[in-house]
Amino acid sequence: LEKFMKNLTTALALLSLLLGMPAMAGGGHKHGHGHSHAPAPISEALAEKRATQVIASLIERKKIDKIWASTAVSSTEKKTLNGQQEWMVTFNNKTITDSEKHILYVFLTLDGQYIAANYTGK
């Protein structure tokens, strides 16, 4: 019985060491302040390029008129909407007859993912 208990204790000690290993962090991986697994924000220039690609996609899917294809970016800024920062890229086309649709807003996440496009800016 004494030998069995000694073997059982040794086995449990080894088992606890093996099961405890995965919980230890490897070298070079810190979990301090400022560490984030979120995608990195894109530059203003890249936001404009992505918004222009969104315009092309919307035209291709017949969501907006093809006249927007030749419209350049008029402004780009970071906005905070619903507590989240995002890119708002604005296109202005005064040749459109409906004055309420002269300005088209394209919204992207800070890392460049398409959120929405509309004529209200909201």
Side-chain angles (χ1 to χ4, degrees):
L1 184 61
E2 187 177 325
K3 187 174 182 180
F4 172 75
M5 293 301 285
K6 187 175 183 180
N7 287 341
L8 182 61
T9 303
T10 303
L12 289 174
L14 287 172
L15 186 61
S16 71
L17 285 173
L18 290 173
L19 293 177
M21 288 284 197
M24 297 171 60
H29 189 87
K30 297 178 182 176
H31 285 274
H33 297 286
H35 181 78
S36 173
H37 291 280
I42 60 173
S43 66
E44 183 175 322
L46 190 50
E48 292 176 0
K49 182 178 179 182
R50 294 260 172 96
T52 302
Q53 292 168 339
V54 166
I55 296 286
S57 175
L58 292 172
I59 291 168
E60 188 177 303
R61 293 183 295 149
K62 300 187 185 330
K63 300 286 184 184
I64 60 174
D65 192 278
K66 62 185 174 188
I67 197 166
W68 287 104
S70 60
T71 306
V73 172
S74 62
S75 70
T76 304
E77 60 184 296
K78 287 181 185 176
K79 287 282 201 184
T80 302
L81 297 170
N82 301 323
Q84 295 281 43
Q85 263 203 324
E86 51 194 52
W87 286 109
M88 182 176 76
V89 184
T90 307
F91 297 81
N92 193 336
N93 190 329
K94 295 197 187 304
T95 63
I96 294 175
T97 52
D98 185 348
S99 63
E100 291 185 8
K101 293 186 177 180
H102 279 186
I103 301 173
L104 179 62
Y105 302 88
V106 176
F107 297 91
L108 307 168
T109 61
L110 286 186
D111 66 333
Q113 301 301 311
Y114 172 65
I115 298 170
N118 61 47
Y119 299 104
T120 64
K122 297 179 183 174

